[in-house]
Amino acid sequence: MSTRKKPAAPPLPEVHFSDYGNVRCLHLGTAWIQGSMDLDAPYDIELEYVQRMMAWLLFVAPSSVGKRHAMQLGLGAAALTKFCRKKLRMKTTAIEINPQVVHACRGWFKLPPEDGKLSVVVADAAQEIRDPRWAGTVDALQVDLYDDEAAAPVLDSADFYRDCRALLTESGAMTVNLFGRDASYAQSLAKIVEAFGAEAVWAFKATREGNSVVLALRTPQPLDRAEIAARGDAIQERWGLPAAKWAKVFKPVG
């Protein structure tokens, strides 16, 4: 009897950074930018699509934000992790498969040390989110999972999005970055709708760089354009995100 060996996992890409004036960029072995940081404002969010990953703020009371739990699947340059922990004062958990990325974020991108409100888990996100300890505990789930080629989301199935939904509290929301040369936005959106229901899904128009951020709510909430505009103004005034213009480019799918 012969035993078939399990194929070895592909090696993780090397991590490096580059500086362009005041902006530091993270790379995974290629020229593709996996995240960035303004060296003069390391806890702000520099990229437009990453700012839009904070659109869940439109659906919660500002006074409740600091009591909530944010989770990032994919650390990138830690922009979301840092903003949630430092600016919003939230309990924050990041799940990242590549330990080199964690090391780079601590050394080059000002990722704060872990404490009672910040945890970085080195793990495969697809497996980690199925751990029962996370079920129903996450208020803001931010999914940005790309490999070194940035061709398509690494995890992008209806089953994966159902696992993401199971993480959320009743008032929780998921935001996902959809980008890539080989990715089909319509197909990815259909999988999210299959997992959450059309009435729970919202989407931004694509940025100039081609990033489309989709938001899915655990429990659907109706908002009209006027409410989005008013809440966007409040978010911009309180936390400095350019949310005042979100009403023009953000709408329900269903």
Side-chain angles (χ1 to χ4, degrees), residues 16 18 20 25-34 148:
H16 65 282
S18 59
Y20 300 91
C25 299
L26 178 75
H27 306 272
L28 300 180
T30 71
W32 286 98
I33 293 173
Q34 302 284 344
D148 51 321

Side-chain angles (χ1 to χ4, degrees), residues 78-236:
L80 290 168
T81 303
K82 292 185 298 183
F83 191 88
C84 289
R85 177 65 190 93
K86 299 292 285 187
K87 296 280 187 170
L88 302 185
R89 303 294 181 185
M90 298 176 71
K91 177 182 178 181
T92 307
T93 304
I95 299 175
E96 170 58 49
I97 196 170
N98 191 340
Q100 292 184 58
V101 171
V102 179
H103 181 75
C105 286
R106 287 175 175 151
W108 305 330
F109 290 91
K110 304 291 186 182
L111 178 65
E114 294 187 52
D115 56 22
K117 295 193 75 170
L118 174 63
S119 176
V120 179
V121 180
V122 177
D124 182 331
Q127 298 176 14
E128 183 65 25
I129 63 173
R130 292 177 178 170
D131 189 317
R133 67 176 169 147
W134 301 121
T137 69
V138 179
D139 298 288
L141 179 67
Q142 297 160 318
V143 183
D144 195 3
L145 294 166
Y146 287 83
D147 61 15
D148 51 321
E149 294 297 329
V154 174
L155 299 173
D156 185 42
S157 68
D159 283 342
F160 167 69
Y161 293 123
R162 277 189 279 268
D163 288 340
C164 288
R165 187 176 186 273
L167 294 175
L168 298 177
T169 62
E170 285 300 314
S171 61
M174 172 187 75
T175 49
V176 184
N177 171 37
L178 298 177
F179 168 80
R181 292 161 291 165
D182 301 327
S184 167
Y185 171 78
Q187 290 179 5
S188 295
L189 181 61
K191 294 169 189 173
I192 295 171
V193 168
E194 181 180 342
F196 282 82
E199 71 282 359
V201 179
W202 295 65
F204 281 96
K205 292 181 180 178
T207 65
R208 285 174 294 180
E209 296 76 20
N211 297 85
S212 299
V213 171
V214 174
L215 179 143
L217 297 162
R218 178 69 176 82
T219 304
Q221 291 186 45
L223 283 183
D224 61 26
R225 194 172 294 276
E227 287 178 298
I228 294 172
R231 294 183 182 193
D233 288 342
I235 291 167
Q236 183 160 320

Side-chain angles (χ1 to χ4, degrees), residues 6-17:
K6 186 178 180 180
L12 295 171
E14 293 292 326
V15 179
H16 65 282
F17 74 91

